Amino acid sequence: NLRVLIPLIETSHYQFYQVLALAKSLEIRGAHVKVLLCDSRLNGCELKSIRTPKSDPCLTCRFNQNNTVSLFGLDVIKLSDFIDDEKVIQIHKASSQISSAYPKEFYYKGINIIPMTNDSVTRYYFGNVPDVESDKLLQLVRTQHLETAMIGVDVSNAIYSSWKPDALIGNMNVYSAWEPYYRVAHDKNIKS
């Protein structure tokens, strides 16, 4: 009866097949597994970068979410199950304010979201982050990843409070899209 949460989030990298195969093997052995997907809810994620075409960066994930993930027959939950549009608007306003001041630390519900945001911004620019703090794109990217981190903290708190997983498994534990789930799990003594 082990409860396992897998914050898969995105489904465009080939590794998502391996993670889903692991999830299925755990389920076959008696674990209750929930797989968390983005559902195009995040403005900042690893897939969106300076090199990504802006037309529809969520296309591959959305296709795999709708056509491939279901083949594994797992219990899938989505960010949109936990966070509504009104909350996203509130988080966006807060993340914009944080981004304009951009402190060295900012704790959102007990989690310092600045380091994971910095890692995500570095990933967005492939290491070539602009030196100019007033750069409009830099501020936008920071805002998007702060927003993603805050959504992750809120969603992980909601899942951990309602479903109470025993363990957290995944192939990513960095960047704003994944790290909140591991930070909150650590604070709640959930194995990861």
Side-chain angles (χ1 to χ4, degrees):
N1 295 326
L2 183 70
R3 293 172 179 250
V4 180
L5 175 66
I6 299 179
L8 189 60
I9 310 298
E10 60 100 349
T11 57
S12 78
H13 195 280
Y14 71 88
Q15 289 179 348
F16 89 92
Y17 290 106
Q18 296 162 340
V19 174
L20 290 175
L22 173 63
K24 192 63 180 181
S25 69
L26 289 170
E27 183 185 69
I28 289 168
R29 287 163 178 78
H32 184 188
V33 178
K34 286 187 185 271
V35 177
L36 178 65
L37 298 176
C38 170
D39 197 28
S40 300
R41 179 54 86 180
L42 301 176
N43 284 325
C45 80
E46 182 192 9
L47 301 177
K48 297 171 184 172
S49 74
I50 196 83
R51 298 178 188 167
T52 306
K54 306 299 182 223
S55 58
D56 190 0
C58 298
L59 180 65
T60 302
C61 277
R62 200 169 41 251
F63 177 85
N64 286 329
Q65 177 181 313
N66 294 331
N67 297 292
T68 307
V69 173
S70 62
L71 298 174
F72 288 85
L74 295 162
D75 186 1
V76 172
I77 54 178
K78 301 173 185 174
L79 293 177
S80 57
D81 296 336
F82 299 93
I83 208 107
D84 62 18
D85 292 338
E86 184 178 318
K87 182 65 174 176
V88 170
I89 291 168
Q90 292 171 359
I91 287 174
H92 179 73
K93 287 178 184 175
S95 63
S96 294
Q97 291 173 348
I98 299 164
S99 180
S100 65
Y102 209 66
K104 291 187 179 191
E105 291 184 330
F106 184 85
Y107 287 84
Y108 181 72
K109 299 185 179 178
I111 306 295
N112 185 2
I113 60 174
I114 297 297
M116 66 184 79
T117 298
N118 288 339
D119 288 345
S120 297
V121 170
T122 300
R123 170 70 175 88
Y124 180 91
Y125 285 103
F126 290 91
N128 193 20
V129 180
D131 291 335
V132 181
E133 287 296 314
S134 62
D135 184 282
K136 290 189 188 296
L137 180 59
L138 175 59
Q139 283 200 352
L140 174 64
V141 172
R142 282 179 175 165
T143 298
Q144 291 170 334
H145 284 286
L146 286 164
E147 182 181 315
T148 293
M150 293 164 85
I151 287 171
V153 170
D154 283 348
V155 170
S156 59
N157 276 315
I159 293 170
Y160 300 158
S161 294
S162 63
W163 190 57
K164 301 183 185 347
D166 301 302
L168 185 70
I169 296 177
N171 67 328
M172 289 291 290
N173 63 352
V174 297
Y175 303 131
S176 60
W178 294 279
E179 192 168 346
Y181 302 93
Y182 293 89
R183 293 286 177 211
V184 175
H186 181 266
D187 287 354
K188 295 187 181 292
N189 295 317
I190 297 169
K191 295 176 184 172
S192 60

